[in-house]
Amino acid sequence: MSKRKAKDAQLPVGECITELQRILRERLCHQQLPDKPEGVEAQHKHLLELLKRTAVHGESNSVLIVGPRGAGKTMLLKCVLRDLLEEKEIQKNLLQVHLNGLLQTDDRIALKEITRQLHLENVVGDKVFGSFAENLAFLLEALKKGDRSSSRPVLFILDEFDLFAHHKNQTLLYNLFDVSQSAQAPIAVIGITCRLDVLELLEKRVKSRFSHRQIHLLSSLTFDQYLDQVQTQLGLPDDFPDTVFAEDWNDSIKTLCEDKSVEEVLQRHFNSSKDFRSMQMLLMLCLSRVSVAKPAIKPADLLEASRLCFGDAKANMLHGLSILELCLIIAMKHLNDVYEGEPFNLQMVHNEFKKFLQRKSSSMYNFDQPVVMKAFEHLQQLELIRLADGSSAKQQREYQLMRLMVDNSQIMEALQKYPQCPTDVKQWAMSAFG
């Protein structure tokens, strides 16, 4: 087939949409790494050199990558590791241990995870160690090569680094930094955190063993760059099987980004968060509406996706409450208005509810005390109410002081959307006094 014919070859729309969905979902859901990270070239170079010194020359290092959520800290590290592991020798020799402060909540769990990731469960067996340091030293010793002279370099990547600082005595951090400083084994400790004051959390003995190297990532993205990124994220590559479809799609995306209403939606997202993941979530919601019957993203799709992204989770939760639970929330709203936000207890809420029943003289909402108590507990489980500061969980249930975690506007919005909400309940909520 000639080149011209190959270029003009068109696939059925269904196949094009399937391939489009595959490419874009991989990019948006699996957070495909860019070929070259933009705007962080200096940080990329610095980190790559640092890790190369550990991987090639066996030099120990420690470094913190600091920046707000969504600034690209993990993306930067993954790009550096990808570039580092391009060399076969490094790939064969380098070991990685990934820990996360949200998962490894104490040093015992962290040590177990280190052992598992280094595949040393059989080596450790049933051995009993006197201390954490002894155990870690044994693990690193076990990584020595056949001639026992040189150890394999290990990268310790600590995500949510600040949470490790809350571990008892900061034993894990102390020992890792101690090993990296004393050159017992070639290791690099890389911490990822969004807390700028993270060094203040470290104990003196831990801080003295840390190299104090920090790589800062701050989002300097402008709105024009943000728009370009949206276009790039939704664009199809040049090697797409059907060039005509790809060109049409890319033109439609360009037109979409120039639409005034779309620009306003994206400006709102940009102002609330420059986080790439929230942008990808928005675009993913748009992409899910693309089908053979509708092979393009329209401004209305983006508006709907934005509405879902900015949806108030607490207000949505109120839609699923029973009438009794909704009445208790309204009673709490009136107590908040009367007592200017002071905490309340179940007894006060129940009395407020009874006042409403007496006025309506309706037997429809008559519930026994245990049923009301159960509804109150359910609201607490949903975290729509919580114990007030200083109130004890040991107190008798009826007298525990609580606070309402939704405001009046959220309650009123939920009432408008509540399916078949009784008129008298709506009127009670709207009345100035309970």
Side-chain angles (χ1 to χ4, degrees):
M1 193 189 278
S2 69
K3 278 185 186 174
R4 184 181 174 79
K5 275 186 185 170
K7 194 180 177 188
D8 295 341
Q10 282 186 285
L11 295 173
V13 179
E15 282 184 38
C16 289
I17 295 292
T18 305
E19 185 62 12
L20 161 87
Q21 291 276 9
R22 186 191 65 76
I23 291 170
L24 295 192
R25 280 170 190 271
E26 198 170 294
R27 192 184 291 163
L28 298 172
C29 297
H30 302 162
Q31 288 166 356
Q32 202 177 43
L33 294 177
D35 295 331
K36 282 187 80 178
E38 287 177 37
V40 288
E41 290 83 359
Q43 292 94 324
H44 181 275
K45 190 182 172 198
H46 182 186
L47 189 59
L48 185 60
E49 282 174 5
L50 207 65
L51 298 190
K52 254 190 184 158
R53 293 211 292 269
T54 301
V56 180
H57 306 298
E59 190 182 296
S60 290
N61 280 304
S62 53
V63 62
L64 280 179
I65 304 172
V66 186
R69 294 205 185 278
K73 303 183 291 295
T74 307
M75 181 271 293
L76 171 70
L77 180 61
K78 282 182 177 174
C79 285
V80 167
L81 289 175
R82 179 192 62 194
D83 297 347
L84 185 69
L85 297 173
E86 276 175 358
E87 290 182 38
K88 284 278 182 285
E89 192 55 39
I90 294 178
Q91 194 175 13
K92 203 167 65 180
N93 208 23
L94 187 68
L95 294 166
Q96 294 179 41
V97 175
H98 293 260
L99 301 176
N100 191 308
L102 294 166
L103 300 174
Q104 282 76 48
T105 49
D106 65 41
D107 292 341
R108 186 180 55 80
I109 299 170
L111 199 55
K112 245 184 184 171
E113 186 59 18
I114 293 169
T115 311
R116 189 189 69 78
Q117 289 190 33
L118 294 176
H119 307 294
L120 294 174
E121 295 99 329
N122 295 340
V123 181
V124 173
D126 297 325
K127 284 189 176 67
V128 178
F129 297 95
S131 67
F132 184 96
E134 212 177 287
N135 199 337
L136 186 64
F138 176 81
L139 292 178
L140 295 171
E141 183 66 29
L143 295 172
K144 294 220 165 149
K145 291 179 187 167
D147 59 1
R148 316 284 297 160
S149 61
S150 60
S151 272
R152 291 177 70 180
V154 190
L155 296 186
F156 284 92
I157 295 153
L158 309 182
D159 213 341
E160 305 290 346
F161 178 84
D162 48 291
L163 298 181
F164 287 100
H166 298 305
H167 289 193
K168 194 186 174 192
N169 300 333
Q170 299 182 355
T171 312
L172 174 76
L173 296 181
Y174 173 77
N175 282 286
L176 286 177
F177 287 151
D178 191 47
V179 171
S180 73
Q181 195 190 46
S182 58
Q184 298 167 32
I187 75 165
V189 183
I190 305 152
I192 301 175
T193 180
C194 53
R195 284 193 62 165
L196 292 169
D197 63 341
V198 67
L199 289 183
E200 305 305 314
L201 303 175
L202 300 180
E203 290 178 10
K204 214 173 187 177
R205 64 191 188 119
V206 178
K207 211 187 282 189
S208 68
R209 280 160 177 77
F210 173 51
S211 67
H212 288 263
R213 277 195 192 91
Q214 290 187 53
I215 294 173
H216 286 271
L217 291 185
L218 298 167
S219 187
S220 56
L221 205 64
T222 65
F223 181 61
D224 288 336
Q225 288 171 320
Y226 186 82
L227 266 179
D228 290 343
Q229 278 299 327
V230 169
Q231 213 167 308
T232 308
Q233 291 286 315
L234 288 175
L236 284 175
D238 297 334
D239 59 357
F240 191 78
D242 187 330
T243 40
V244 176
F245 180 87
E247 281 168 15
D248 289 347
W249 172 267
N250 289 342
D251 288 344
S252 75
I253 294 300
K254 195 175 178 208
T255 311
L256 180 80
C257 291
E258 287 166 358
D259 188 280
K260 273 278 168 271
S261 61
V262 167
E263 215 169 286
E264 281 170 20
V265 168
L266 293 175
Q267 182 76 57
R268 187 178 168 205
H269 274 263
F270 176 76
N271 292 342
S272 69
S273 167
K274 296 178 179 67
D275 186 339
F276 261 73
R277 277 166 298 195
S278 66
M279 177 219 280
Q280 286 172 329
M281 169 63 82
L282 174 75
L283 301 182
M284 189 64 218
L285 289 169
C286 295
L287 181 65
S288 64
R289 299 168 77 92
V290 174
S291 64
V292 176
K294 203 166 78 57
I297 296 174
K298 300 288 181 204
D301 298 331
L302 201 80
L303 291 169
E304 178 59 22
S306 174
R307 193 186 62 74
L308 289 171
C309 281
F310 281 116
D312 188 333
K314 282 265 166 71
N316 289 343
M317 214 181 275
L318 292 172
H319 303 165
L321 297 181
S322 68
I323 284 291
L324 170 59
E325 288 163 349
L326 197 62
C327 286
L328 294 182
I329 290 277
I330 294 168
M332 293 169 202
K333 168 191 174 290
H334 287 309
L335 286 170
N336 263 352
D337 293 345
V338 172
Y339 297 109
E340 296 177 344
E342 285 298 307
F344 49 81
N345 60 35
L346 173 58
Q347 202 59 50
M348 293 162 73
V349 173
H350 201 181
N351 290 343
E352 191 70 25
F353 182 41
K354 277 180 189 165
K355 273 195 250 171
F356 162 67
L357 294 182
Q358 283 160 5
R359 274 205 313 277
K360 292 292 164 196
S361 61
S362 167
S363 59
M364 182 177 141
Y365 308 117
N366 269 341
F367 298 98
D368 296 334
Q369 177 77 9
V371 178
V372 175
M373 169 84 83
K374 197 76 189 156
F376 195 78
E377 284 172 8
H378 186 230
L379 293 175
Q380 195 174 347
Q381 283 167 359
L382 292 174
E383 295 183 10
L384 294 172
I385 56 173
R386 69 165 175 83
L387 275 174
D389 298 334
S391 183
S392 166
K394 291 174 185 172
Q395 253 178 326
Q396 202 177 328
R397 276 282 162 84
E398 291 93 320
Y399 303 108
Q400 283 175 355
L401 288 176
M402 310 296 281
R403 283 193 185 281
L404 184 60
M405 302 310 289
V406 284
D407 61 30
N408 289 3
S409 62
Q410 288 172 309
I411 295 168
M412 298 317 291
E413 185 194 326
L415 279 168
Q416 299 310 315
K417 294 179 184 173
Y418 192 89
Q420 284 130 23
C421 182
T423 312
D424 48 2
V425 172
K426 263 189 192 174
Q427 285 171 346
W428 177 39
M430 290 159 79
S431 64
F433 301 101

